């Protein structure tokens, strides 16, 4: 992959530009919502913001002084993908868990036998900051190669005040030199720390009292997540914890309804920005989510990693929900780390239109992170974009993840691969 600096410029022509201009945040979408411009170009300013998008002849005559970044051959331009749910700050492998799962052990059985999340907590705690940073940067680079230009990254494999603080600091230290934008989220409430002697409630209180104030003063993260499940935290335990985060003005998000329902209803009742997973959501939950502003973030990579059903993305869309699709990339339940392949597979099983799947990876995923400046190729958006070597956008999902972008632009740089 080569990389070059990009001055203020006119980029094109593209066979198609998928803009998503005017596509709605919630509910079903069809091909008309893609907002395709045929034979288009994009004018990007020095700061990496999109100045204008339109037909190339029109833009060439209007922006005579712009440097023309000529695009050779047929290419389809998309907004950069946004992966709104990842756990890529970890060390170690969980291939042993995977193998146990193939032998018939369940996710919860493996966790109860001392594997699962706690195994990664151990290996992550053992890894020094240099190793953690190197692994993180490698994963971010792999994401960039897959067209992802913004990634949410959770802590959650440190657990406890000092170990979670260490992970938040690693994220902070890696933010400025990361190849893509990072949105940090505190998941100290992934599980109770293995070395914490009190109960769940005491643990969450300690995080609130000792970690939250440091996060606030050091601006380490402004998002808080919790795993609501019988093996992690109950609804009653989660509620005051999430309210404490809200009181600080932070966004909240919930690992909800992965194995049993209840978490999504809680997320909606507290005005969470997103409820993530939803594999076990009931009809009632689907309608509660659809009637709210909480984005339903579905995680096909976790279904593929665990061999369980996909979240009911079709039903959520039909009920009127905003559905985002994220990788959940983590060493346990979602080791693949190939968002486009996962989304394409979800789409074929859940019968999502191509517009719905691509929306779930772009502007709807941006909404799950409360980012309004990306996810569409429109005036004033950040110039995070990706181009595929085809003249027809349908080839992208049709290839189920094997067609990768040949050019990716982040707001400051262009990468060719
Ligand atoms: O989103 N569900 C909880 N947390 C992760 C799994 C993490 C792990 O297995 O290490 C998830 O799937
Ligand atoms: Fe997760």
């Amino acid at each position: 992959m080569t990389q070059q600096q990009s001055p203020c410029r006119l980029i094109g022509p593209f066979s198609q530009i998928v803009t998503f201009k005017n596509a709605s945040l919630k509910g079903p979408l069809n091909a008309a919502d893609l907002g395709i411009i045929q034979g288009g170009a994009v004018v990007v300013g020095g700061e990496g913001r999109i100045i204008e998008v339109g037909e190339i002849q029109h833009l060439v005559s209007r922006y005579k002084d712009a440097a023309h970044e000529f695009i050779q051959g047929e290419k389809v331009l998309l907004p950069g993908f946004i992966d709104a749910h990842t756990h890529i700050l970890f060390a170690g492998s969980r291939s042993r868990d995977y193998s146990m799962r193939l032998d018939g052990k369940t996710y919860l059985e493996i966790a109860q036998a001392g594997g699962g999340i706690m195994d990664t907590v151990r290996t992550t705690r053992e890894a020094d900051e240099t190793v953690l940073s190197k692994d993180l940067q490698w994963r971010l680079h792999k994401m960039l190669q897959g067209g992802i230009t913004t990634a949410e990254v959770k802590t959650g494999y440190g657990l406890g005040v000092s170990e979670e603080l260490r992970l938040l600091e690693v994220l902070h230290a890696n933010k400025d030199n990361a190849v893509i934008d990072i949105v940090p989220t505190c998941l100290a409430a992934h599980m109770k720390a293995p070395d914490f002697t009190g109960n769940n409630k005491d643990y969450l209180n300690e995080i609130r009292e000792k970690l939250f104030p440091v996060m606030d003063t050091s601006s380490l993260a402004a998002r808080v997540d919790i795993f609501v499940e019988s093996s992690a935290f109950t609804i009653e335990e989660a509620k005051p914890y999430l309210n404490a985060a809200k009181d600080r003005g932070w966004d909240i998000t919930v690992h909800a309804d992965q194995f049993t329902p209840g978490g999504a209803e809680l997320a909606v009742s507290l005005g969470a920005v997103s409820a993530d997973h939803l594999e076990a959501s009931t009809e009632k939950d689907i309608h509660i989510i659809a009637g709210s502003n909480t984005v339903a973030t579905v995680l096909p990579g976790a279904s593929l990693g665990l061999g369980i059903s996909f979240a009911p993305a079709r039903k959520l869309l039909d009920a009127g929900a905003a559905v985002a699709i994220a990788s959940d990339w983590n060493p346990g339940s979602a080791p693949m780390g190939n968002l486009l392949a996962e989304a394409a597979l979800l789409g074929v099983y859940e019968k999502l239109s191509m517009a719905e799947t691509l929306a779930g990876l772009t502007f709807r995923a941006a909404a799950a992170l409360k980012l309004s400046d990306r996810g569409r190729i429109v005036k004033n958006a950040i110039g995070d974009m990706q181009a595929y070597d085809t003249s027809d956008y349908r080839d992208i999902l049709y290839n189920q993840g094997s067609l990768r972008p040949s050019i990716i632009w982040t707001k400051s740089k262009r990468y060719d691969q």
Side-chain angles (χ1 to χ4, degrees), residues 74-229:
E74 303 277 13
K75 285 195 179 21
V76 172
L77 187 72
L78 291 188
F81 292 145
I82 293 151
D83 193 339
H85 181 136
T86 85
H87 305 250
I88 56 168
L89 181 55
F90 66 88
S93 158
R94 296 247 297 282
S95 56
R96 186 180 59 104
D97 285 18
Y98 194 83
S99 166
M100 281 172 78
R101 208 151 48 238
L102 301 187
D103 290 340
K105 300 274 185 279
T106 67
Y107 184 67
L108 294 181
E109 276 169 355
I110 293 166
Q112 278 155 7
I117 291 170
M118 288 308 165
D119 194 16
T120 305
V121 170
R122 185 181 52 78
T123 47
T124 303
R125 284 181 172 193
E126 280 167 11
D128 68 24
E129 289 79 9
T130 315
V131 170
L132 288 171
S133 297
K134 199 168 143 274
D135 285 2
L136 173 70
Q137 294 285 1
W138 173 81
R139 291 182 192 112
L140 291 169
H141 207 264
K142 189 177 164 203
M143 292 175 116
L144 176 75
Q145 291 173 324
I148 295 165
T149 47
T150 301
E152 185 254 21
V153 184
K154 300 175 195 296
T155 63
Y157 292 119
L159 303 183
V161 174
S162 59
E163 291 290 342
E164 282 292 309
L165 184 58
R166 185 173 83 108
L167 295 188
L168 284 166
E169 282 168 346
V170 169
L171 276 183
H172 194 72
N174 279 281
K175 221 167 171 247
D176 287 345
N177 64 347
V179 281
I180 64 175
D181 278 349
I182 297 177
V183 178
T185 301
C186 175
L187 181 56
H190 202 179
M191 292 268 205
K192 186 177 75 172
D195 45 359
F196 187 83
T197 46
N199 62 23
N200 273 1
K201 190 171 164 228
D202 299 333
Y203 175 71
L204 294 178
N205 282 341
E206 174 151 303
I207 297 294
R208 278 168 59 176
E209 283 160 21
K210 299 199 179 138
L211 183 59
F212 280 12
V214 187
M215 279 166 61
D216 228 347
T217 46
S218 321
S219 304
L220 292 174
R223 297 181 94 246
V224 166
D225 191 356
I226 185 165
F227 185 17
V228 174
E229 194 58 58

Side-chain angles (χ1 to χ4, degrees), residues 383-402:
D384 284 357
M385 306 178 293
Q386 47 170 334
Y388 291 78
D389 288 348
T390 173
S391 59
D392 183 342
Y393 76 91
R394 291 176 295 193
D395 280 330
I396 298 167
L397 290 172
Y398 166 66
N399 276 280
Q400 298 187 315
S402 63

Side-chain angles (χ1 to χ4, degrees), residues 85 87 154 255 277 299 328 330:
H85 181 136
H87 305 250
K154 300 175 195 296
H255 273 72
H277 271 293
L299 308 170
D328 197 20
N330 72 69

